[in-house]
Amino acid sequence: MTAVRDEISQGPAVGQSWPRLDSREKVLGATRYAADVPVAGLLHARLVQSVYAHARIERIDTSAALAIPGVVAVLTAKDLPIKGSGDMRMFQPLATREAVFAGQPLAVVVAESEAAAEDGVQAVMVEYTPLPAAVDMEASMAVAAPVARPHRHISAQDGEMASPHAAVGHHDDVAVGEVEIGAAASPHAAVGGAADKPKLTEELSPNVIGRHWHRHGDVDAALVGSRATVSGRFETDWVYQGYLEPHGVISWSDPVNGDLVVSSGTQGVFYTRSQIAKIFGLPVTKVRSIGTPLGGAFGSKILVVEPLAVAATLLLKRPVKLALTRREDMSMTNPASGTRIELEIGANADGRLTGIKSRLVFDAGSFSEWTVESIGAVLVAGPYRWDAYDIRAYGVETNRVGTGSYRGPGGPQASFALESLMDELAARLGMDPLELRRRNAVTPGDRMVDGEGWVRIGTREVLSEIESHPLWARRNSLPAGEGVGLAVGVWPGGREAAAAVCRLEPDGSITIITGVVDMSGVASGFATIAAEAFGVSVDKVQVVATDTQGAPRSPLSGGSVVTYSAGRAVQKAVEATREKLLRYASEDLEIDSGDLEIVDGQIQPKGAPGRGKSVAELAEKLDGFGGAFEPIEGHAGALPPSLAPSVSAHLAHVKVDRETGEVKILNFVIAQDVGRALNPALVEGQMRGGVAQGIGWALLEGMPFDEQGQLLSGSLMDYALPVAGDVPRIETRIVEVPAPDGPFGAKGIGEAPVCGSPAAVANAVANALGKRVYQLPMTAPRVWAAATSGSTGRSNNGGGAG
Amino acid sequence: MIPAAFEYSRASSVDDALRLLWQHAGSAKVIAGGHSLLPLLKLRVASVERLIDIGRISELRGIGTSSGGGLSLGALTTYRDILDSAAVRSQFPLLIDVVDGIGDVQVRNRGTVGGAVAHADPASDLPAALLALDAEIVVRSQTGERTIPAAQFFEGAFVTAIAENELLTAIRIPSMSGRGGAYAKLEQPASGYSIVGVAAVVGRGGSQVRIGITGVGDVAYRAMAVEQALLASDWSDNAIRAAAAHAADGQVVASDIHADRAYRTQMAAVFTRRAIAEALRRAG
């Protein structure tokens, strides 16, 4: 490993900080997002949404809307030209017989102007018969509970409609990605997948659509024999991804070749192409998916709005735009699940972790294809070794919006529960909480609870960074009302098959062609990888993120997949290009290619600067007619054989106003193992952004629903995102433990920072108050309630010294 | 996010605005900075037949001081105007407390005091301040002008004593000589509106006191129980704390996702105590 690091430290690009490729356009306001693309003859779509969480739709009267000048069409489910069938929401973009969540689209009004479309929406009359709504997730697990989607389940029994969950039986332990009908593997398929696992067979409501059980050893015996055990029940609210740009799409039919073009803020163009083709029964090669610059996505932007615009385009033969308003976006996209996690852990007197017992319930909402209780079940065990475990996770459908991915899906919730109890356990043992974590950190050869092997990660190293920080030393001598909290965040990583193309240009620069959508700066990471692998500076690299018509096969951006997997493909494509260039140079210079090197854009005999030619000079000779050598291009694919988990340690310093429950974060430190920091400035940006989002999870963000399933924080006037004043200066410490299969040791680093941050704040609040808050977000009223509660204990559910 | 269609008239003067109001009584809404009304229209939560835009009537904008030390705020005076006023800053620090905590820079640049007062959002800050400051609201119609004490102006959520054909033209605030004032607020974390906002004005040595509270019920109110307890007390810390505990007496306390009834009631006491303590300190 050190050899790799020594070698790459010589290179021109890796480890250099420079601004993102797209930063100038963004700062100047020149970036054109999905809704900004100019298209002639555009129609505007707006949505009629269900006012009930669960209701039979008796009648949709569109006549008044159609009479409004400018309204072209009002489409309901029966009008849509959907050919594929599937249980995923993308196959049912409008409610059919019944609405299953408040805000579900019931009809699309398409008009010549957005104003006319909005007038049309107001004029559509919907007759409903309200039905009992499944709202409380725990109650919805009971056999007699109202069924959130009875239509789907009845159909599955009748064999009318293919339901992925029905097809494999309710009692099977299967990861989401393995059962989706018509779906490519989910970005998280690599996580939580399980074979030969015990099955949970208790009789439960058909609302329970996911069951996962990981078991090893005799956990009850392990806990009974422990020196200390602690337990708690932790709850988290639904959380909205909170990107600046709401979902948007424009679709049209190519006037020349008739291809369907879908231009949208999507995280994956190939996935969009495949799914749109399946949904509408089109040849996959007649669909072209263009990914527009993302104004934030965080896991959400995967085929929510595209089917609606495409359906209208196919029916009306016109370009159609659908750009959600913030209220629509908050009510009908795919936020992170609300969860309840019951957890008990124990340790021996020497701090060795004995057993972990957990029951996790994730609210999947009404469309459950992206539910992530399987990931939560893995992450609740953290990056720690356990003698015995019994972890059961359930995904439950309710009459809420369907859940989706949110940066580190399942991670913030799982870490909140585990890291809170790690602190409690350390206190019971009379042990330093950092030492307890360090002593139990996994090493290569250990396995995650789902059987996936751990590679070497820097858990001990990030903890050492925190240990050496002055704030950690001051933790027990702070003013009254202040507290410092430690937590570890971990993301297991993801891997996908990916390809990339590299082309030498006549000016000596290289162009990387990818189908990866530039999310969180990955294109800039590709530029660094390419420059390093080729031997030029990054300003000699272009990255073209293109659409499905011309891009090499590329995975969806998500799950910390693309830098690791597609970045590796970029590296290999560049190496192939470089190899070809050296062969050509060998002919041109009449020197054996093995004796040549590329240094700073010069091809020269090894160790003999000044005796070669510039890359540009050679490239120029190949431009034009009668070239003397085949084009200098490379194409490569990659599929890393291992996962590359990223781990972080977080230190939050808070001040709590006991009278009001308000929490102010004074300082925040994050140390993260990033594998290799391709561009430290971008890595630090990911770390800071993750912490900022984690602070939102910790203190502010929540989507409460009332007993009828109505969202109560459906606008940014009620849903509190962290603003500049809520986020302190964030100190970042980069730790590099290279990923064996990553490009130059790099790996995906976007998710761990959000996973551990809420728990660090929770531990800081507990240390400041002497009382623990078991619910996220820790809003002022919740903290105040904990501060003023009579109980003196910090564990809410027993536990004790053995 | 496009309002339903409406008619639009721009008033060129106060007289022109009054004429338009008379002509369209019952079917028109007055718009000034637009920072309360426009979002409602764009969300189609509200709709209007006609907007009468008074935003360019320069005679309605400005801050005046009387020889007796009183303050007059034209209806179109922006929050920014108040923050930039040396007179307000030196003599009415309570108003600076209030305005500094309203919205963000853009809102403070465009939002007007007359608009906020006429809109009468139950969680907006100015109504509490005007109650504590014993302000008067000046309204005018084609038939004449009248002055309404703040205590009689705010009738309910979004309901005021302004008649359909009347225009709010100014707010008058008496001198603060010999008195100190302060505003303490618990912000709703998303909107920045008050969960509880308490304005206190205290006479030097505890000679008098007026407390205005917003956010607790559906309309801002004077906390008479607190005032009476204070006037009968020695103004010690304990006495202030005991008096402040009456902050929500007689109110139907609101309950929502940001603060349930118990929490909001307790916060009314906490912020009342904090506002009184600071006002007393400023009274000297």
Side-chain angles (χ1 to χ4, degrees):
Chain A
M1 227 45 72
T2 33
V4 172
R5 298 182 66 178
D6 289 346
E7 183 188 326
I8 58 177
S9 67
Q10 309 296 318
V14 166
Q16 310 274 337
S17 285
W18 51 279
R20 273 173 67 148
L21 292 167
D22 56 353
S23 53
R24 181 180 162 83
E25 293 157 54
K26 284 190 169 159
V27 168
L28 293 175
T31 305
R32 290 290 163 259
Y33 297 95
D36 303 326
V37 176
V39 178
L42 196 57
L43 293 174
H44 300 261
R46 293 247 64 87
L47 303 173
V48 178
Q49 296 178 271
S50 174
V51 300
Y52 291 103
H54 197 188
R56 192 163 59 240
I57 302 158
E58 306 292 357
R59 189 162 161 268
I60 299 178
D61 182 350
T62 63
S63 53
L66 286 167
I68 291 171
V71 172
V72 172
V74 182
L75 308 176
T76 60
K78 64 178 171 20
D79 303 315
L80 304 186
I82 289 178
K83 300 291 192 291
S85 70
D87 199 45
M88 302 175 86
R89 197 176 354 164
M90 62 183 77
F91 287 90
Q92 303 161 45
L94 295 176
T96 51
R97 280 178 251 178
E98 49 182 56
V100 292
F101 70 92
Q104 185 177 14
L106 307 178
V108 186
V109 178
V110 189
E112 298 287 351
S113 71
E114 195 178 346
E118 287 201 24
D119 289 347
V121 166
Q122 281 199 309
V124 172
M125 305 304 289
V126 183
E127 280 178 34
Y128 305 88
T129 300
L131 298 170
V135 177
D136 181 274
M137 131 182 111
E138 199 78 53
S140 297
M141 296 177 73
V143 173
V147 177
R149 289 175 68 197
H151 169 215
R152 193 273 309 278
H153 290 283
I154 291 163
S155 297
Q157 281 168 11
D158 295 346
E160 286 174 9
M161 186 190 285
S163 157
H165 300 295
V168 295
H170 297 309
H171 299 168
D172 276 13
D173 179 1
V174 272
V176 173
E178 294 168 311
V179 295
E180 286 164 3
I181 286 206
S186 91
H188 309 299
V191 184
D196 300 327
K197 286 285 176 181
K199 298 194 191 317
L200 294 167
T201 57
E202 67 265 48
E203 193 182 354
L204 295 171
S205 161
N207 290 323
V208 180
I209 45 69
R211 304 187 192 202
H212 308 265
W213 193 7
H214 303 301
R215 193 175 48 171
H216 174 74
D218 184 342
V219 74
D220 289 322
L223 289 170
V224 165
S226 298
R227 172 70 183 83
T229 62
V230 289
S231 64
R233 192 178 77 195
F234 298 84
E235 294 183 354
T236 68
D237 280 6
W238 284 70
V239 178
Y240 175 59
Q241 291 89 343
Y243 33 75
L244 287 177
E245 176 210 20
H247 284 246
V249 55
I250 301 177
S251 63
W252 65 90
S253 177
D254 186 305
V256 176
N257 60 20
D259 286 359
L260 175 74
V261 185
V262 188
S263 171
S264 62
T266 178
Q267 290 176 228
V269 291
F270 283 92
Y271 186 65
T272 299
R273 182 180 75 154
S274 298
Q275 294 307 103
I276 290 292
K278 282 175 186 151
I279 294 164
F280 295 101
L282 301 168
V284 71
T285 52
K286 297 297 283 178
V287 178
R288 178 180 169 197
S289 169
I290 300 172
T292 51
L294 287 168
F298 307 110
S300 173
K301 290 184 177 168
I302 303 171
L303 277 157
V304 176
V305 290
E306 285 89 341
L308 291 163
V310 166
T313 288
L314 292 175
L315 285 168
L316 303 171
K317 316 287 184 207
R318 294 269 303 269
V320 175
K321 169 158 100 174
L322 175 59
L324 298 186
T325 66
R326 181 64 65 185
R327 275 182 173 247
E328 288 169 338
D329 203 276
M330 295 186 78
S331 65
M332 58 160 277
T333 55
N334 49 16
S337 284
T339 67
R340 176 175 294 170
I341 300 177
E342 292 157 27
L343 181 64
E344 182 176 8
I345 61 174
N348 289 334
D350 64 357
R352 178 189 169 93
L353 292 172
T354 52
I356 177 170
K357 192 172 181 179
S358 186
R359 176 178 178 272
L360 305 91
V361 183
F362 277 52
D363 188 343
S366 49
F367 288 87
S368 56
E369 58 263 19
W370 297 102
T371 186
V372 294
E373 70 279 355
S374 60
I375 305 177
V378 173
L379 295 182
V380 78
Y384 306 120
R385 191 185 304 118
W386 304 90
D387 290 342
Y389 52 81
D390 186 323
I391 297 169
R392 304 169 190 218
Y394 301 85
V396 184
E397 285 189 346
T398 62
N399 292 113
R400 291 193 176 85
V401 63
T403 189
S405 297
Y406 179 164
R407 191 176 193 173
Q413 302 98 318
S415 169
F416 170 53
L418 176 64
E419 293 295 314
S420 293
L421 286 192
M422 288 295 280
D423 262 24
E424 297 297 322
L425 187 60
R428 289 284 169 89
L429 292 167
M431 180 180 279
D432 180 319
L434 190 145
E435 181 57 27
L436 176 66
R437 290 168 169 91
R438 178 159 55 201
R439 197 165 290 185
N440 292 283
V442 289
T443 53
D446 289 331
R447 297 208 162 268
M448 300 179 198
V449 297
D450 66 346
E452 180 79 32
W454 287 102
V455 297
R456 175 156 145 59
I457 57 172
T459 314
R460 288 185 173 82
E461 288 82 352
V462 295
L463 286 168
S464 294
E465 285 290 327
I466 295 299
E467 191 173 36
S468 66
H469 195 281
L471 189 54
W472 182 248
R474 285 203 294 134
R475 69 189 184 282
N476 294 321
S477 54
L478 296 167
E482 293 186 19
V484 158
L486 165 73
V488 168
V490 66
W491 179 251
R495 61 193 187 94
E496 292 289 342
V501 167
C502 176
R503 182 172 74 202
L504 179 67
E505 303 291 0
D507 61 1
S509 68
I510 55 175
T511 297
I512 302 302
I513 303 169
T514 176
V516 169
V517 173
D518 186 8
M519 191 161 96
S520 56
V522 294
S524 305
F526 292 166
T528 292
I529 292 165
E532 185 79 16
F534 201 71
V536 292
S537 54
V538 288
D539 61 354
K540 293 282 189 287
V541 182
Q542 295 79 226
V543 179
V544 176
T546 189
D547 60 75
T548 50
Q549 215 169 38
R553 181 86 200 174
S554 300
L556 191 146
S557 294
S560 289
V561 161
V562 295
T563 296
Y564 185 56
S565 302
R568 186 79 174 137
V570 167
Q571 182 186 357
K572 288 166 73 177
V574 172
E575 285 168 354
T577 308
R578 182 177 183 277
E579 170 67 27
K580 208 171 277 185
L581 177 62
L582 289 179
R583 278 200 281 124
Y584 170 52
S586 166
E587 288 181 14
D588 188 87
L589 298 171
E590 296 180 340
I591 301 173
D592 190 279
S593 68
D595 296 328
L596 291 172
E597 62 180 3
I598 304 177
V599 176
D600 208 10
Q602 288 287 124
I603 302 177
Q604 62 197 32
K606 280 180 182 164
R611 291 207 34 233
K613 283 185 179 173
S614 73
V615 174
E617 197 179 334
L618 285 168
E620 172 67 29
K621 286 174 74 171
L622 293 176
D623 194 33
F625 300 103
F629 203 82
E630 67 179 275
I632 310 294
E633 296 185 2
H635 173 280
L639 176 57
S642 66
L643 289 182
S646 184
V647 64
S648 51
H650 306 236
L651 198 56
H653 177 198
V654 306
K655 183 177 171 63
V656 181
D657 183 334
R658 297 186 75 100
E659 277 193 326
T660 65
E662 291 171 291
V663 177
K664 175 86 184 160
I665 300 185
L666 304 174
N667 294 290
F668 206 107
V669 186
I670 173 173
Q672 186 179 353
D673 165 20
V674 302
R676 178 72 174 150
L678 295 174
N679 179 333
L682 296 200
V683 168
E684 286 168 358
Q686 286 297 301
M687 292 163 75
R688 292 198 177 95
V691 170
Q693 283 188 312
I695 287 171
W697 277 80
L699 298 179
L700 296 166
E701 298 185 52
M703 303 178 82
F705 293 79
D706 71 10
E707 288 163 7
Q708 279 76 47
Q710 298 287 340
L711 174 61
L712 299 175
S713 60
S715 83
L716 295 181
M717 288 293 274
D718 277 308
Y719 186 90
L721 286 165
V723 296
D726 300 315
V727 180
R729 195 177 74 88
I730 298 164
E731 196 177 324
T732 56
R733 303 255 177 125
I734 289 176
V735 170
E736 295 181 309
V737 177
D741 300 310
F744 301 105
K747 57 189 174 189
I749 49 102
E751 328 226 12
V754 75
C755 293
S757 294
V761 178
N763 284 337
V765 169
N767 289 332
L769 272 184
K771 303 269 184 65
R772 184 167 287 281
V773 182
Y774 286 84
Q775 212 173 359
L776 293 185
M778 295 176 286
T779 58
R782 286 170 175 171
V783 174
W784 173 77
T788 52
S789 72
S791 125
T792 51
R794 302 200 340 178
S795 190
N796 72 338
N797 196 21
Chain B
M1 292 292 284
I2 297 172
F6 53 81
E7 300 295 323
Y8 173 88
S9 307
R10 181 187 294 156
S12 57
S13 65
V14 171
D15 286 342
D16 189 32
L18 296 178
R19 181 187 59 76
L20 287 163
L21 269 174
W22 189 268
Q23 193 181 337
H24 301 289
S27 65
K29 268 304 256 189
V30 173
I31 188 165
H35 275 53
S36 298
L37 185 55
L38 273 182
L40 298 177
L41 295 177
K42 288 171 87 170
L43 291 166
R44 299 198 179 208
V45 172
S47 63
V48 293
E49 282 180 40
R50 176 177 299 270
L51 284 182
I52 299 172
D53 185 351
I54 61 166
R56 301 193 189 190
I57 304 176
S58 54
E59 62 192 290
L60 284 177
R61 183 170 180 176
I63 299 171
T65 47
S66 71
S67 53
L71 193 68
S72 175
L73 304 173
L76 291 185
T77 303
T78 64
Y79 302 124
R80 171 58 49 199
D81 294 337
I82 289 177
L83 292 173
D84 290 346
S85 161
V88 176
R89 201 164 276 278
S90 63
Q91 292 163 51
F92 297 87
L94 187 162
L95 276 181
I96 301 294
D97 291 349
V98 170
V99 172
D100 210 28
I102 292 176
D104 52 24
V105 171
Q106 293 93 322
V107 168
R108 292 193 289 272
N109 285 345
R110 291 288 298 174
T112 67
V113 293
V117 170
H119 187 61
D121 187 302
S124 78
D125 303 291
L126 275 172
L130 299 192
L131 287 168
L133 290 165
D134 199 16
E136 294 175 326
I137 291 95
V138 182
V139 300
R140 207 190 298 173
S141 73
Q142 285 202 311
T143 57
E145 184 175 283
R146 64 185 180 120
T147 301
I148 309 169
Q152 289 154 34
F153 183 83
F154 300 103
E155 298 182 341
F158 307 105
V159 182
T160 70
I162 308 179
E164 279 175 354
N165 57 2
E166 285 178 327
L167 183 69
L168 190 161
T169 55
I171 295 160
R172 290 187 195 140
I173 301 171
S175 164
M176 283 288 285
S177 174
R179 304 189 294 167
Y183 188 66
K185 169 185 183 179
L186 177 64
E187 283 192 4
Q188 196 257 60
S191 69
Y193 276 80
S194 286
I195 289 174
V196 171
V198 184
V201 172
V202 177
R204 194 168 295 148
S207 55
Q208 53 165 291
V209 58
R210 293 175 77 93
I211 312 272
I213 300 183
T214 190
V216 171
D218 66 358
V219 64
Y221 61 94
R222 256 185 86 181
M224 307 295 281
V226 179
E227 295 177 8
Q228 284 157 13
L230 278 173
L231 289 173
S233 81
D234 60 0
W235 292 84
S236 66
D237 288 353
N238 281 339
I240 293 172
R241 183 181 297 270
H246 295 286
D249 281 10
Q251 295 297 312
V252 178
V253 178
S255 183
D256 59 33
I257 58 167
H258 302 291
D260 64 14
R261 195 156 286 127
Y263 179 69
R264 187 177 257 110
T265 303
Q266 181 60 28
M267 291 308 107
V270 168
F271 285 85
T272 297
R273 193 196 77 226
R274 291 180 180 182
I276 293 167
E278 179 62 14
L280 194 61
R281 193 188 66 75
R282 287 179 184 171

